[in-house]
Amino acid sequence: MAIQQKLSLMIPGPTPVPEKVLQALGKHPIGHRTKEFQDLVERTTKNLKWLHQTKNDVLTITGSGTAAMEAAIINTLSKGDKVICGDNGKFGQRWVKVAKEFGLNVIKVDAKWGSPLNPESFKQILNDDFNKEIKAVILTHSETSTGVINDLQTISSHIIAHKKALSIIDCVTSIGACDVPVDEWGLDIVASGSQKGYMMPPGLSFVSMSQKAWQATEKSNLPKFYLDLKSYKKSILNNSNPYTPAVNLVFALDESLKMMKEEGLENIFKRHSRHKLAVSDAAITLNLKLFADKNHLSPSITAIELEDIDAEVFRKKIKEDYDILIAGGQDHLKGKIFRIGHLGYVNDRDIISVIAAISNTLLDMGKISCNQAGEALKIAMKDLKTI
Ligand SMILES: *Cc1c(COP(=O)(O)O)cnc(C)c1O
């Protein structure tokens, strides 16, 4: 039994938090209507725009990622509006549910779990919409439940060609992990959450809003109060918040964004990319099957299929023996897959440890040879050095 006090969090959120960020959380709160707090908000807002590669407004909400997505929907749409929802996993499914809950008329574009959404399907529906009835396209960039990354750049180009529809994108496990150039790709609304690529505890979420998205808010008639983004926009002009923000989480955000700037966007993306490569190559070497289409692997999470082992038993053993928490499968995938989060504050050592833990567990179970276990680490080490 390993010491259970040194948890290695290899799930796709919450993700590990650096000491500097934890220390920022432990400071005394300050008044949220003070100059000191306004200076903080001014800085975090500027740095959030840097992270999103945008000139658009990026608003901070107290709430998890779902709050940001719900805000996007209820602020720009009206009851009965026609929207396209991409659905190729648990999160895509959630946005279909939210859209229906608010009385939207949902056209679903789906793909099998583990496969990417087909951009051509979006193109076709948007092209055929002669009367410009489609008001928004809602989709998930990195589908955390399956480890698939969707081709957002191409889908966005089809949305732009339609001219009327807004893009409402869940970038919760892509922002801070891979390139999401909001302005260059013309993304209207991008939602994300603090406990993922931001290297922070849960509690804050972020929404970036284009001019076109703000125009849409003028027509939206869905009920809203706490998540009325117009009140956030009005406050942000004064580096303020409409309600009491989670002051200590904003301290933490300030630190995490500073750390991200020190590392640089390119380096952050490269780190996630080599971790993805190392984990997926090691899995293949261990005769394990990647659940996601191998040309569409998410930078933040690798889902691995187990054939004759219960994935729940497998990940419990890894937790007990090594104090490494990996995620299980959701819904029908429970027991069938496990998921390794390599998102946020993750270094090469974390990757080597998780691969060694998986290899050793398979070895214990008599599923692989010593040689294979060695080969998996060898290829992972090579990947970690090459990018
Ligand atoms: C984690 C996650 C969310 C947000 O979920 P919350 O529990 O509300 O923070 C949304 N979308 C994706 C793809 C996620 O991975």
Side-chain angles (χ1 to χ4, degrees), residues 79-174:
K79 202 170 160 112
D81 275 355
K82 202 182 256 189
V83 298
I84 303 178
C85 278
D87 174 5
N88 61 333
K90 184 78 183 168
F91 288 97
Q93 217 174 50
R94 182 180 295 175
W95 311 137
V96 170
K97 266 194 211 157
V98 174
K100 288 189 172 163
E101 191 60 36
F102 286 104
L104 304 180
N105 177 2
V106 176
I107 307 169
K108 215 160 63 164
V109 168
D110 51 14
K112 218 175 81 195
W113 287 34
S115 300
L117 295 166
N118 182 358
E120 284 301 309
S121 313
F122 291 86
K123 184 180 179 182
Q124 198 129 51
I125 299 170
L126 289 163
N127 271 351
D128 291 347
D129 180 33
F130 303 113
N131 298 328
K132 304 289 175 195
E133 285 173 356
I134 295 167
K135 297 289 189 283
V137 178
I138 303 168
L139 71 113
T140 304
H141 188 195
S142 161
E143 182 41 86
T144 314
S145 61
T146 63
V148 166
I149 188 129
N150 287 309
D151 184 356
L152 178 56
Q153 185 177 10
T154 307
I155 297 173
S156 176
S157 71
H158 300 323
I159 303 170
I160 291 166
H162 178 273
K163 293 202 167 69
K164 270 275 191 274
L166 287 174
S167 50
I168 300 181
I169 317 293
D170 169 349
C171 288
V172 178
T173 50
S174 60

XYZ file of all heavy atoms in Angstrom, residues 79-174:
742
model
N -36.162 31.598 -27.122
C -36.983 30.384 -27.176
C -37.393 30.073 -28.624
O -37.795 30.974 -29.360
C -38.230 30.609 -26.324
C -38.852 29.324 -25.874
C -39.930 29.568 -24.851
C -40.785 28.352 -24.831
N -40.873 27.503 -23.832
N -37.222 28.818 -29.010
C -37.623 28.396 -30.359
C -36.533 28.566 -31.408
O -36.685 28.105 -32.536
N -35.435 29.238 -31.059
C -34.348 29.432 -32.031
C -33.805 28.088 -32.501
O -33.666 27.153 -31.715
C -33.185 30.217 -31.399
C -33.389 31.722 -31.466
O -34.377 32.157 -32.089
O -32.556 32.453 -30.888
N -33.470 28.074 -33.786
C -32.891 26.861 -34.353
C -31.372 26.886 -34.135
O -30.718 27.895 -34.446
C -33.213 26.825 -35.848
C -33.153 25.441 -36.449
C -33.435 25.497 -37.929
C -34.845 25.022 -38.254
N -35.020 24.891 -39.724
N -30.831 25.813 -33.578
C -29.376 25.729 -33.360
C -28.882 24.343 -33.789
O -29.634 23.371 -33.753
C -28.979 25.952 -31.872
C -29.369 27.350 -31.406
C -29.597 24.893 -30.949
N -27.614 24.288 -34.170
C -26.991 22.986 -34.424
C -26.155 22.645 -33.190
O -25.412 23.498 -32.697
C -26.046 23.029 -35.648
C -26.776 23.502 -36.905
C -25.404 21.670 -35.889
C -25.868 23.603 -38.142
N -26.291 21.419 -32.688
C -25.438 20.977 -31.584
C -24.606 19.791 -32.044
O -25.148 18.807 -32.540
C -26.269 20.502 -30.395
S -26.864 21.808 -29.330
N -23.297 19.904 -31.877
C -22.408 18.771 -32.154
C -22.426 17.842 -30.955
O -22.319 18.297 -29.825
N -22.575 16.551 -31.197
C -22.670 15.600 -30.091
C -21.855 14.342 -30.418
O -22.298 13.493 -31.171
C -24.155 15.256 -29.854
C -24.348 14.166 -28.808
O -23.353 13.732 -28.198
O -25.500 13.738 -28.613
N -20.646 14.276 -29.858
C -19.875 13.026 -30.002
C -19.269 12.604 -28.666
O -18.177 12.077 -28.594
C -18.804 13.127 -31.109
C -17.770 14.209 -30.866
O -18.035 15.204 -30.198
N -16.584 14.030 -31.397
N -20.049 12.858 -27.598
C -19.600 12.431 -26.280
C -20.455 13.045 -25.195
O -21.472 13.694 -25.461
N -20.042 12.831 -23.965
C -20.819 13.245 -22.801
C -21.067 14.768 -22.758
O -22.148 15.212 -22.382
C -20.043 12.803 -21.552
C -20.739 13.048 -20.249
C -21.811 12.012 -19.995
C -22.552 12.310 -18.718
N -23.764 11.498 -18.601
N -20.054 15.553 -23.138
C -20.240 17.004 -23.045
C -21.095 17.528 -24.187
O -21.973 18.366 -23.980
C -18.890 17.727 -22.912
C -18.304 17.496 -21.548
C -17.355 16.505 -21.346
C -18.763 18.206 -20.456
C -16.862 16.237 -20.072
C -18.281 17.950 -19.176
C -17.327 16.961 -18.984
N -20.877 16.997 -25.389
C -21.746 17.353 -26.500
C -23.198 17.081 -26.122
O -24.100 17.909 -26.339
N -23.410 15.927 -25.495
C -24.746 15.525 -25.063
C -25.318 16.527 -24.044
O -26.495 16.860 -24.090
C -24.609 14.167 -24.380
C -25.716 13.213 -24.598
C -25.345 11.856 -23.979
O -24.937 11.762 -22.821
N -25.472 10.808 -24.768
N -24.433 17.000 -23.148
C -24.899 17.962 -22.138
C -25.416 19.242 -22.797
O -26.448 19.781 -22.410
C -23.768 18.298 -21.154
C -24.213 19.262 -20.057
C -23.104 19.607 -19.077
N -22.674 18.451 -18.310
C -21.632 18.478 -17.451
N -20.946 19.590 -17.268
N -21.288 17.398 -16.788
N -24.708 19.723 -23.843
C -25.145 20.990 -24.463
C -26.448 20.799 -25.238
O -27.248 21.725 -25.347
C -24.028 21.617 -25.312
C -22.717 21.674 -24.579
C -21.474 21.368 -25.074
C -22.507 22.018 -23.186
N -20.535 21.489 -24.080
C -21.126 21.882 -22.926
C -23.342 22.416 -22.134
C -20.563 22.129 -21.663
C -22.794 22.662 -20.877
C -21.430 22.520 -20.661
N -26.678 19.589 -25.733
C -27.975 19.290 -26.355
C -29.065 19.413 -25.290
O -30.105 20.049 -25.505
C -27.996 17.872 -26.990
C -29.410 17.485 -27.416
C -27.026 17.792 -28.170
N -28.794 18.839 -24.109
C -29.777 18.879 -23.016
C -30.056 20.308 -22.577
O -31.213 20.692 -22.372
C -29.225 18.117 -21.799
C -29.634 16.686 -21.727
C -29.312 16.148 -20.324
C -28.986 14.670 -20.427
N -28.184 14.196 -19.305
N -28.996 21.091 -22.411
C -29.166 22.483 -21.965
C -29.993 23.243 -23.001
O -30.954 23.945 -22.656
C -27.796 23.178 -21.732
C -27.978 24.663 -21.416
C -27.027 22.484 -20.605
N -29.624 23.081 -24.279
C -30.330 23.804 -25.344
C -31.815 23.429 -25.337
O -32.693 24.301 -25.459
C -29.696 23.492 -26.695
N -32.116 22.153 -25.174
C -33.518 21.722 -25.161
C -34.237 22.259 -23.935
O -35.400 22.662 -24.002
C -33.606 20.192 -25.214
C -33.238 19.665 -26.589
C -33.528 18.188 -26.725
C -33.332 17.752 -28.188
N -33.215 16.297 -28.291
N -33.539 22.268 -22.805
C -34.123 22.762 -21.564
C -34.602 24.213 -21.729
O -35.612 24.623 -21.153
C -33.069 22.670 -20.446
C -33.577 22.895 -19.041
C -34.636 21.893 -18.613
O -34.541 20.725 -18.998
O -35.571 22.313 -17.892
N -33.863 24.998 -22.526
C -34.244 26.396 -22.740
C -35.153 26.577 -23.963
O -35.333 27.687 -24.451
C -32.999 27.287 -22.844
C -32.343 27.490 -21.499
C -31.186 26.816 -21.151
C -32.926 28.337 -20.559
C -30.610 26.987 -19.897
C -32.355 28.525 -19.303
C -31.197 27.841 -18.974
N -35.689 25.473 -24.448
C -36.695 25.564 -25.505
C -36.135 25.850 -26.882
O -36.844 26.350 -27.760
N -34.857 25.554 -27.102
C -34.294 25.768 -28.431
C -34.652 24.586 -29.329
O -34.919 23.483 -28.849
C -32.772 25.935 -28.356
C -32.271 27.052 -27.425
C -30.751 27.115 -27.442
C -32.863 28.403 -27.813
N -34.647 24.862 -30.608
C -34.968 23.853 -31.608
C -33.638 23.261 -32.100
O -32.937 23.887 -32.886
C -35.760 24.564 -32.715
C -36.104 23.665 -33.861
O -35.792 22.485 -33.857
N -36.733 24.234 -34.879
N -33.317 22.073 -31.594
C -31.966 21.516 -31.793
C -31.874 20.594 -33.000
O -32.628 19.629 -33.120
C -31.519 20.736 -30.530
C -30.165 20.065 -30.766
C -31.460 21.650 -29.315
N -30.928 20.912 -33.882
C -30.572 19.978 -34.957
C -29.281 19.325 -34.490
O -28.279 20.017 -34.250
C -30.273 20.712 -36.290
C -31.414 21.649 -36.669
C -29.955 19.723 -37.401
C -31.049 22.595 -37.822
N -29.310 18.009 -34.329
C -28.132 17.347 -33.788
C -27.227 16.848 -34.908
O -27.682 16.238 -35.852
C -28.592 16.169 -32.919
C -27.720 15.946 -31.740
C -28.355 15.144 -30.627
C -28.718 13.745 -31.001
N -28.976 12.901 -29.829
N -25.915 17.155 -34.775
C -24.931 16.525 -35.658
C -24.144 15.607 -34.755
O -23.477 16.077 -33.835
C -23.994 17.577 -36.299
C -22.804 16.906 -36.968
C -24.754 18.431 -37.304
N -24.283 14.300 -34.948
C -23.564 13.442 -34.009
C -22.555 12.548 -34.694
O -22.502 12.439 -35.913
C -24.515 12.656 -33.102
C -25.594 11.926 -33.864
O -25.458 11.804 -35.094
O -26.563 11.473 -33.231
N -21.720 11.962 -33.879
C -20.737 10.986 -34.341
C -20.604 9.982 -33.217
O -20.912 10.293 -32.062
C -19.401 11.656 -34.634
N -20.179 8.794 -33.569
C -19.973 7.743 -32.580
C -18.965 8.215 -31.542
O -17.993 8.907 -31.886
C -19.407 6.511 -33.309
C -19.943 5.201 -32.807
C -19.426 4.048 -33.665
C -18.020 3.706 -33.210
N -17.222 2.901 -34.044
N -19.173 7.837 -30.277
C -18.206 8.195 -29.233
C -16.847 7.605 -29.623
O -16.773 6.423 -29.942
C -18.650 7.662 -27.864
C -19.816 8.413 -27.274
C -20.846 8.982 -27.953
C -20.056 8.673 -25.881
N -21.720 9.581 -27.073
C -21.253 9.399 -25.789
C -19.373 8.355 -24.699
C -21.785 9.823 -24.572
C -19.907 8.765 -23.476
C -21.098 9.499 -23.427
N -15.832 8.445 -29.634
C -14.490 8.003 -30.049
C -14.142 8.520 -31.437
O -12.984 8.544 -31.825
N -15.172 8.947 -32.180
C -14.932 9.526 -33.511
C -15.122 11.038 -33.452
O -15.869 11.532 -32.620
C -15.919 8.971 -34.535
O -15.786 7.586 -34.625
N -14.460 11.750 -34.374
C -14.658 13.198 -34.415
C -15.942 13.564 -35.151
O -16.467 12.750 -35.917
C -13.442 13.688 -35.206
C -13.081 12.541 -36.095
C -13.467 11.281 -35.358
N -16.426 14.769 -34.927
C -17.563 15.286 -35.694
C -17.080 15.554 -37.116
O -15.938 15.996 -37.318
C -18.060 16.594 -35.073
C -18.640 16.487 -33.661
C -18.777 17.881 -33.037
C -19.993 15.776 -33.682
N -17.946 15.315 -38.078
C -17.560 15.546 -39.471
C -17.891 16.994 -39.880
O -19.058 17.364 -39.963
C -18.321 14.559 -40.360
C -17.937 14.692 -41.820
O -17.129 15.557 -42.179
N -18.515 13.845 -42.657
N -16.882 17.811 -40.175
C -17.137 19.212 -40.530
C -18.083 19.353 -41.727
O -18.842 20.314 -41.822
C -15.750 19.770 -40.862
C -14.797 18.881 -40.141
C -15.435 17.525 -40.127
N -18.043 18.376 -42.635
C -18.911 18.429 -43.822
C -20.397 18.417 -43.447
O -21.223 19.014 -44.145
C -18.615 17.244 -44.754
C -17.329 17.392 -45.551
C -17.328 18.646 -46.444
O -18.303 18.834 -47.189
O -16.351 19.417 -46.367
N -20.741 17.713 -42.361
C -22.148 17.666 -41.944
C -22.619 19.062 -41.542
O -23.751 19.457 -41.834
C -22.344 16.725 -40.760
O -21.695 15.511 -40.989
N -21.742 19.802 -40.860
C -22.092 21.177 -40.472
C -22.238 22.035 -41.725
O -23.175 22.817 -41.873
C -21.001 21.778 -39.566
C -20.937 21.149 -38.201
C -20.205 19.999 -37.969
C -21.642 21.713 -37.143
C -20.151 19.411 -36.710
C -21.602 21.135 -35.882
C -20.845 19.981 -35.661
N -21.280 21.859 -42.632
C -21.271 22.659 -43.856
C -22.576 22.484 -44.633
O -23.204 23.456 -45.064
C -20.083 22.233 -44.722
C -19.908 23.057 -45.981
C -18.714 22.567 -46.773
C -18.554 23.382 -48.040
N -17.436 22.888 -48.844
N -22.987 21.226 -44.754
C -24.185 20.925 -45.512
C -25.430 21.591 -44.906
O -26.189 22.262 -45.615
C -24.391 19.419 -45.517
C -25.335 18.945 -46.592
C -24.679 17.814 -47.365
O -24.196 16.854 -46.747
N -24.628 17.936 -48.669
N -25.605 21.414 -43.614
C -26.801 21.982 -42.965
C -26.777 23.501 -43.056
O -27.797 24.136 -43.342
C -26.895 21.520 -41.486
C -27.011 19.993 -41.419
C -28.090 22.169 -40.780
C -26.864 19.425 -40.026
N -25.604 24.096 -42.874
C -25.501 25.560 -42.924
C -25.728 26.078 -44.352
O -26.393 27.090 -44.561
C -24.137 26.015 -42.393
C -23.952 25.849 -40.872
C -22.480 25.907 -40.479
C -24.748 26.902 -40.088
N -25.182 25.333 -45.328
C -25.374 25.714 -46.736
C -26.832 25.664 -47.154
O -27.302 26.468 -47.958
C -24.615 24.742 -47.648
C -23.198 25.211 -47.876
O -22.855 26.325 -47.503
N -22.390 24.357 -48.467
N -27.541 24.665 -46.611
C -28.945 24.470 -46.992
C -29.894 25.414 -46.263
O -31.094 25.414 -46.527
C -29.366 23.019 -46.707
C -28.669 22.053 -47.649
O -28.088 22.535 -48.643
O -28.682 20.826 -47.382
N -29.375 26.193 -45.354
C -30.226 27.074 -44.551
C -30.432 28.416 -45.284
O -29.930 29.456 -44.867
C -29.564 27.290 -43.178
C -30.373 28.185 -42.263
O -31.621 28.157 -42.348
O -29.771 28.941 -41.482
N -31.192 28.363 -46.372
C -31.354 29.550 -47.231
C -31.981 30.722 -46.498
O -31.678 31.871 -46.753
C -32.198 29.194 -48.469
C -31.603 28.075 -49.260
C -32.233 26.842 -49.346
C -30.379 28.253 -49.919
C -31.668 25.798 -50.067
C -29.808 27.223 -50.645
C -30.448 25.986 -50.719
N -32.923 30.408 -45.598
C -33.617 31.494 -44.894
C -32.888 31.993 -43.653
O -33.425 32.794 -42.896
C -35.026 31.047 -44.507
C -35.848 30.718 -45.740
O -35.639 31.332 -46.796
N -36.737 29.744 -45.628
N -31.687 31.478 -43.474
C -30.832 31.896 -42.342
C -31.585 31.782 -41.013
O -31.688 32.744 -40.246
C -30.331 33.338 -42.544
C -29.579 33.557 -43.840
C -28.224 32.880 -43.816
C -27.505 33.001 -45.159
N -26.381 32.086 -45.286
N -32.134 30.605 -40.814
C -32.874 30.371 -39.565
C -31.981 29.881 -38.436
O -32.346 29.952 -37.274
C -33.979 29.339 -39.815
C -35.153 29.933 -40.572
C -36.161 28.884 -40.977
O -35.916 27.682 -40.728
O -37.188 29.278 -41.545
N -30.816 29.357 -38.789
C -29.932 28.805 -37.751
C -29.220 29.951 -37.030
O -28.549 30.769 -37.652
C -28.933 27.799 -38.352
C -29.701 26.595 -38.893
C -27.890 27.359 -37.317
C -28.900 25.682 -39.767
N -29.428 29.986 -35.716
C -28.903 31.122 -34.951
C -27.545 30.832 -34.314
O -26.805 31.756 -34.004
C -29.901 31.502 -33.835
C -31.261 31.977 -34.375
C -31.113 33.353 -35.025
C -32.436 33.982 -35.384
N -33.037 33.408 -36.597
N -27.245 29.554 -34.082
C -25.960 29.236 -33.443
C -25.552 27.795 -33.708
O -26.394 26.932 -33.981
C -26.049 29.461 -31.935
N -24.247 27.591 -33.642
C -23.692 26.238 -33.693
C -22.942 26.029 -32.379
O -22.068 26.812 -32.022
C -22.732 26.061 -34.895
C -22.125 24.663 -34.886
C -23.461 26.346 -36.202
N -23.377 25.008 -31.650
C -22.840 24.751 -30.315
C -22.035 23.452 -30.361
O -22.569 22.425 -30.790
C -24.001 24.614 -29.300
C -24.872 25.881 -29.318
C -23.478 24.300 -27.906
C -26.201 25.752 -28.564
N -20.764 23.512 -29.981
C -20.009 22.258 -29.979
C -18.838 22.270 -29.013
O -18.454 23.322 -28.503
C -19.545 21.883 -31.393
C -18.452 22.694 -32.046
C -17.202 21.854 -32.207
C -18.921 23.152 -33.422
N -18.314 21.075 -28.784
C -17.215 20.876 -27.840
C -15.931 20.654 -28.628
O -15.903 19.790 -29.509
C -17.528 19.642 -26.964
O -18.794 19.863 -26.331
C -16.473 19.416 -25.903
N -14.907 21.447 -28.345
C -13.652 21.328 -29.086
C -12.947 20.026 -28.701
O -12.770 19.161 -29.532
C -12.780 22.561 -28.786
C -11.545 22.648 -29.634
N -10.500 23.483 -29.313
C -11.179 22.002 -30.767
C -9.549 23.341 -30.239
N -9.933 22.459 -31.119
N -12.576 19.921 -27.426
C -11.924 18.680 -26.962
C -12.953 17.922 -26.130
O -13.361 18.386 -25.068
C -10.691 19.045 -26.138
O -10.295 17.964 -25.330
N -13.413 16.787 -26.645
C -14.470 16.007 -25.973
C -13.816 15.137 -24.896
O -13.246 14.079 -25.173
C -15.252 15.204 -27.021
C -16.407 14.375 -26.547
C -17.328 14.984 -25.497
O -18.295 15.711 -25.835
O -17.089 14.702 -24.316
N -13.881 15.624 -23.664
C -13.173 15.017 -22.543
C -13.601 13.573 -22.253
O -12.819 12.787 -21.747
C -13.404 15.895 -21.298
O -13.200 17.260 -21.684
C -12.454 15.562 -20.180
N -14.830 13.231 -22.571
C -15.314 11.885 -22.240
C -14.686 10.804 -23.121
O -14.661 9.640 -22.739
C -16.841 11.827 -22.371
O -17.218 12.105 -23.700
N -14.178 11.207 -24.287
C -13.654 10.200 -25.220
C -12.206 10.454 -25.632
O -11.597 9.606 -26.279
C -14.495 10.187 -26.514
O -14.364 11.469 -27.153
C -15.963 9.907 -26.234
N -11.685 11.641 -25.334
C -10.312 11.977 -25.732
C -10.190 12.359 -27.199
O -9.115 12.255 -27.789
N -11.302 12.841 -27.776
C -11.294 13.236 -29.192
C -11.223 14.758 -29.311
O -11.918 15.469 -28.598
C -12.594 12.765 -29.896
C -12.766 13.438 -31.258
C -12.600 11.256 -30.060
N -10.389 15.241 -30.241
C -10.425 16.674 -30.543
C -11.148 16.855 -31.874
O -10.879 16.150 -32.844
C -9.014 17.318 -30.540
C -9.126 18.842 -30.652
C -8.113 16.778 -31.642
C -8.356 19.596 -29.639
N -12.117 17.775 -31.877
C -12.871 18.045 -33.102
C -12.169 19.128 -33.915
O -11.457 19.974 -33.358
C -14.295 18.471 -32.747
C -15.128 17.300 -32.258
O -15.185 16.259 -32.918
N -15.756 17.439 -31.101
N -12.390 19.103 -35.216
C -11.712 20.050 -36.110
C -12.429 21.400 -36.079
O -13.179 21.760 -36.981
C -11.675 19.464 -37.527
C -10.904 20.364 -38.484
O -10.477 21.462 -38.077
O -10.748 19.967 -39.661
N -12.161 22.137 -35.016
C -12.860 23.403 -34.781
C -12.561 24.441 -35.856
O -13.447 25.188 -36.259
C -12.484 23.927 -33.390
C -13.082 25.256 -32.975
C -14.605 25.235 -33.046
C -12.622 25.634 -31.556
N -11.324 24.491 -36.311
C -10.964 25.509 -37.296
C -11.816 25.367 -38.562
O -12.368 26.344 -39.068
C -9.476 25.410 -37.642
C -9.038 26.523 -38.577
C -7.553 26.495 -38.897
O -6.855 25.531 -38.576
N -7.075 27.545 -39.527
N -11.957 24.137 -39.054
C -12.743 23.908 -40.269
C -14.228 24.169 -40.007
O -14.896 24.850 -40.796
C -12.529 22.469 -40.784
O -11.136 22.263 -40.921
C -13.222 22.235 -42.104
N -14.734 23.663 -38.893
C -16.159 23.865 -38.600
C -16.436 25.360 -38.463
O -17.421 25.879 -38.988
C -16.588 23.082 -37.330
C -16.409 21.577 -37.568
C -18.053 23.391 -36.960
C -16.630 20.698 -36.343
N -15.528 26.078 -37.815
C -15.725 27.518 -37.659
C -15.759 28.230 -39.009
O -16.541 29.167 -39.207
C -14.621 28.103 -36.766
O -14.771 29.497 -36.695
N -14.925 27.768 -39.956
C -14.931 28.425 -41.277
C -16.296 28.250 -41.953
O -16.770 29.160 -42.644
C -13.794 27.899 -42.157
O -14.073 26.572 -42.557
N -16.959 27.123 -41.725
C -18.305 26.923 -42.292
C -19.332 27.813 -41.587
O -20.258 28.306 -42.219
C -18.730 25.449 -42.175
C -17.809 24.517 -42.904
N -17.230 24.840 -44.115
C -17.335 23.280 -42.591
C -16.448 23.846 -44.514
N -16.495 22.895 -43.603
N -19.147 28.012 -40.288
C -20.081 28.878 -39.539
C -19.934 30.317 -40.038
O -20.920 31.020 -40.265
C -19.838 28.790 -38.014
C -19.946 27.334 -37.522
C -20.837 29.675 -37.252
C -19.496 27.113 -36.084
N -18.681 30.732 -40.245
C -18.434 32.096 -40.718
C -19.062 32.298 -42.106
O -19.658 33.341 -42.378
C -16.914 32.396 -40.725
C -16.409 32.473 -39.278
C -16.589 33.683 -41.475
C -14.904 32.435 -39.127
N -18.947 31.275 -42.957
C -19.503 31.373 -44.316
C -21.031 31.539 -44.296
O -21.609 32.144 -45.199
C -19.119 30.138 -45.123
N -21.678 31.036 -43.258
C -23.138 31.163 -43.126
C -23.549 32.603 -42.829
O -24.640 33.059 -43.178
C -23.612 30.216 -42.006
C -25.081 30.266 -41.704
N -25.624 31.159 -40.809
C -26.125 29.523 -42.164
C -26.939 30.957 -40.735
N -27.267 29.967 -41.542
N -22.631 33.312 -42.170
C -22.760 34.745 -41.832
C -23.672 35.063 -40.656
O -23.399 35.967 -39.888
C -23.173 35.585 -43.049
C -22.098 35.623 -44.114
C -22.248 36.836 -45.021
C -21.022 37.072 -45.870
N -20.795 36.056 -46.898
N -24.788 34.346 -40.504
C -25.731 34.688 -39.432
C -25.436 33.958 -38.117
O -25.495 34.549 -37.040
C -27.160 34.312 -39.875
C -27.880 35.437 -40.595
C -28.536 36.385 -39.578
C -29.496 37.377 -40.212
N -28.806 38.571 -40.692
N -25.138 32.660 -38.225
C -25.021 31.827 -37.011
C -23.799 32.193 -36.176
O -22.749 32.547 -36.701
C -24.953 30.353 -37.404
N -23.987 32.125 -34.864
C -22.888 32.344 -33.917
C -22.233 31.005 -33.619
O -22.902 29.980 -33.607
C -23.443 32.840 -32.578
C -23.978 34.234 -32.411
C -24.575 34.343 -31.000
C -22.874 35.265 -32.581
N -20.934 31.054 -33.292
C -20.318 29.825 -32.775
C -20.256 29.914 -31.255
O -19.841 30.934 -30.703
C -18.919 29.630 -33.361
O -18.133 30.786 -33.234
N -20.725 28.861 -30.595
C -20.678 28.781 -29.132
C -19.874 27.521 -28.813
O -20.343 26.403 -29.024
C -22.094 28.698 -28.518
C -22.900 29.945 -28.903
C -22.006 28.525 -26.998
C -24.326 29.976 -28.332
N -18.643 27.723 -28.347
C -17.717 26.597 -28.276
C -17.265 26.299 -26.846
O -16.783 27.181 -26.128
C -16.460 26.863 -29.157
C -16.837 27.485 -30.518
C -15.671 25.575 -29.328
C -17.617 26.610 -31.446
N -17.393 25.037 -26.482
C -16.862 24.538 -25.215
C -15.382 24.228 -25.448
O -15.044 23.255 -26.117
C -17.644 23.270 -24.826
C -17.013 22.508 -23.661
O -15.877 22.823 -23.285
O -17.669 21.582 -23.149
N -14.521 25.124 -24.926
C -13.072 24.908 -25.059
C -12.476 24.582 -23.695
O -11.333 24.921 -23.397
C -12.402 26.137 -25.665
S -12.774 26.331 -27.420
N -13.275 23.934 -22.854
C -12.867 23.707 -21.468
C -11.569 22.892 -21.376
O -10.712 23.189 -20.553
C -14.005 23.072 -20.647
C -13.549 22.802 -19.229
C -15.227 23.980 -20.615
N -11.397 21.869 -22.235
C -10.121 21.139 -22.158
C -9.237 21.395 -23.390
O -8.382 20.587 -23.734
C -10.303 19.613 -21.940
O -11.239 19.089 -22.885
C -10.781 19.314 -20.530
N -9.439 22.548 -24.045
C -8.480 22.896 -25.101
C -7.761 24.212 -24.812
O -6.577 24.347 -25.100
C -9.155 22.924 -26.474
O -10.197 23.864 -26.541
